[in-house]
Amino acid sequence: MPGSVIVGTQWGDEGKGRFTDYLAKEATLCVRYQGGHNAGHTIVVDGEVFKLQLVPSGVLYPWVTPVIGNGVVVDPRVLIAELDMLEAKGVDTRPLRLSGNAHLIMPYHQELDRAYERKLGKSKLGTTKRGIGPTYADKSLRVGLRVQDLFDEKIFREKLDLALREKNPLLSRVYNRLPMDAKEIADAYLALVPRLSPHIDDTVHIVHEALDAGHWVLFEGAQATYLDLDHGTYPYVTSSNPISGGVCAGAGVGPRDIHRIVGVVKAYTTRVGAGPFPAELFFGDPIADTLVDRGREFGTNTGRRRRPGWLDLVMVKHAARLNTCTELAITKLDVLSPFDELKVCVGYRGPDGTHYDHVPYHQSVLHHVTPIYETFPGWNVEIERAEHIDDLPQQARDYVRFIEEFTGVPVSFVSVGPGREQTVVLPRAA
Ligand code: GDP
Ligand code: IMO
Ligand code: MG
């Protein structure tokens, strides 16, 4: 039975959380495989809003076991605060499983994230300052601390001492920051052990037991294709592999365990942080302002205003290929309702006049391309009450149809509002 993946096809915040929540009702496990609390996934159920950063979005169903896989980086203080938040809302978080192999985000990772950004000045990446990059860097350097290290106080203190022997001179001499105290950090982290240990487990084993038993396992991507460390707009990316292939390393499954890959596409484009964005509409442009206002395009996590733009199907088509999407889910179609006409980017023109029908791999080309748009008529009526594809105006259906035709991937779902029930299932997916 299938492993299914939910993956973002743009620059994040497509609505992965709401579609994970929607699809998880039929799952047994819901697994995060990369990223950390740089993610902000919003779910709205009966008007109640849940904002999740680390806990998988399947947590709201009592029969779903939420799993934080080995590929995730975890700040245990943030995880505990999130569990407390969920418990206060009446959600039973006891089933949550946390991989003992996941790496820990330490206070010096967050301090270094801030220091690197400050040092970059105008060239800063606009990270979430959650310590994500430095934690994955230490993982690659093989000097990271893992969740399982918390079980052995002696080992934990030794590894931390060793880490600070390098981090403290870096912080104080290179970045002019205060050095950190190993004992203080160790005491704070080890004090969390009684609260964390009931959750710590062998998540790879759990995932394979479920797959072997024929249960449906849903893998929830965080970030998105163009924030992928290898395939995104480097260096303006995150430090993990959000693409569907990242599931294999980040959760411990093989490609043959994955059968369904749902690419989530916002009906327009947004990006938080710096980096190239060919179809961007700039601050003060009335269309940009409408997209931000209607779409409430402010970061779930950091509150930053997201940069808006028209839908860029060149990027989505490439994302469908990189992720081998079996289907697409379109979100926030309702945000486009007031426009008389809609533009969709279908190609780029390079600074030397070259026509691109694909995403150019070279950074400086992507920085300087101008978008080639196709224009579509808008529908000019609100659609947030649509329950069936036939409830959508013809122009909206044509817009969805064009996305399918251009990308060559069927659209299974369209969402017309943030609520769980505001999901239109296309006949093929029913
Ligand atoms: P994620 O990071 O991909 O899970 O997405 P976020 O939760 O960060 O951002 C998506 C935002 O759009 C959230 O505030 C959602 O509640 C909201 N949202 C999701 N789907 C829809 C939709 O179809 N229409 C509208 N208007 N808002 C939506
Ligand atoms: P979800 O899962 C949107 C962006 C940051 C920055 C870059 C690197 O909610 O879609 P990092 O802190 O990861 O080192 O920052 O990546 N970024 C996101 N943008 N949605 C996210 O997550 C993001 N997670 C990171 O803004 O540009
Ligand atoms: Mg988000």
Side-chain angles (χ1 to χ4, degrees), residues 31-54:
V31 186
R32 277 278 305 269
Y33 57 93
Q34 45 68 234
H37 67 297
N38 49 347
H41 294 181
T42 318
I43 307 168
V44 182
V45 184
D46 297 332
E48 189 170 9
V49 181
F50 297 85
K51 290 174 189 278
L52 301 173
Q53 296 185 274
L54 275 169

Side-chain angles (χ1 to χ4, degrees), residues 109-424:
H109 292 132
Q110 296 183 358
E111 188 67 356
L112 283 168
D113 197 351
R114 287 190 287 267
Y116 292 148
E117 282 284 271
R118 206 170 304 131
K119 183 176 133 261
L120 285 171
K122 276 209 315 253
S123 314
K124 71 176 181 187
L125 307 179
T127 76
T128 59
K129 300 193 176 125
R130 301 297 197 251
I132 305 296
T135 306
Y136 278 114
D138 275 359
K139 176 178 177 176
S140 294
L141 270 174
R142 296 157 296 181
V143 294
L145 274 79
R146 295 190 292 175
V147 168
Q148 60 180 282
D149 294 325
L150 288 166
F151 282 138
D152 189 323
E153 181 170 344
K154 189 163 166 285
I155 289 188
F156 188 83
R157 289 187 189 275
E158 272 172 22
K159 288 192 177 179
L160 183 59
D161 274 340
L162 212 61
L164 282 178
R165 236 177 274 168
E166 186 241 356
K167 303 300 177 204
N168 272 340
L170 187 62
L171 281 171
S172 55
R173 289 191 212 145
V174 179
Y175 295 109
N176 206 20
R177 313 293 305 160
L178 289 175
M180 294 199 165
D181 183 57
K183 183 172 180 315
E184 212 172 282
I185 297 174
D187 290 350
Y189 272 56
L190 290 165
L192 306 175
V193 171
R195 181 72 205 280
L196 281 180
S197 58
H199 298 285
I200 301 173
D201 218 325
D202 180 351
T203 56
V204 173
H205 183 68
I206 292 170
V207 167
H208 281 281
E209 290 281 293
L211 288 169
D212 290 348
H215 294 151
W216 188 20
V217 179
L218 185 59
F219 298 96
E220 176 183 16
Q223 291 76 56
T225 303
Y226 291 99
L227 291 172
D228 185 278
L229 183 58
D230 287 82
H231 298 284
T233 47
Y234 190 90
Y236 301 99
V237 294
T238 193
S239 298
S240 67
N241 289 113
I243 55 163
S244 61
V247 171
C248 295
V253 298
R256 288 195 298 136
D257 292 318
I258 298 166
H259 297 247
R260 183 179 186 192
I261 299 162
V262 183
V264 184
V265 184
K266 196 181 284 194
Y268 48 99
T269 314
T270 59
R271 163 160 219 176
V272 211
F277 182 172
E280 180 166 13
L281 296 165
F282 291 95
F283 199 76
D285 179 321
I287 292 166
D289 293 346
T290 307
L291 289 174
V292 170
D293 290 347
R294 278 184 65 90
R296 301 187 184 189
E297 296 297 352
F298 295 90
T300 312
N301 199 330
T302 56
R304 288 180 291 173
R305 183 186 192 270
R306 297 174 183 147
R307 297 157 59 193
W310 291 117
L311 178 63
D312 185 338
L313 279 185
V314 184
M315 300 195 85
V316 174
K317 184 176 181 175
H318 184 53
R321 199 153 68 160
L322 281 167
N323 293 294
T324 58
C325 290
T326 56
E327 62 208 274
L328 300 178
I330 311 292
T331 60
K332 302 188 106 163
L333 196 63
D334 55 302
V335 173
L336 299 181
S337 295
F339 298 118
D340 291 332
E341 56 175 38
L342 306 169
K343 289 185 178 172
V344 174
C345 175
V346 294
Y348 308 122
R349 200 168 314 284
D352 61 353
T354 309
H355 178 272
Y356 293 92
D357 62 0
H358 62 277
V359 183
Y361 82 93
H362 201 293
Q363 186 189 356
S364 32
V365 177
L366 190 63
H367 269 277
H368 294 110
V369 293
T370 47
I372 299 168
Y373 289 119
E374 198 153 313
T375 304
F376 293 83
W379 43 90
N380 260 301
V381 287
E382 295 296 351
I383 58 172
E384 79 273 10
R385 287 185 199 284
E387 291 177 1
H388 190 267
I389 186 74
D390 297 335
D391 299 334
L392 293 175
Q394 186 60 47
Q395 297 90 327
R397 279 184 274 160
D398 289 345
Y399 190 77
V400 172
R401 189 70 58 222
F402 186 74
I403 296 173
E404 285 191 321
E405 280 166 11
F406 193 91
T407 58
V409 184
V411 173
S412 295
F413 307 96
V414 172
S415 72
V416 292
R420 185 188 271 174
E421 72 294 349
Q422 290 175 294
T423 308
V424 176

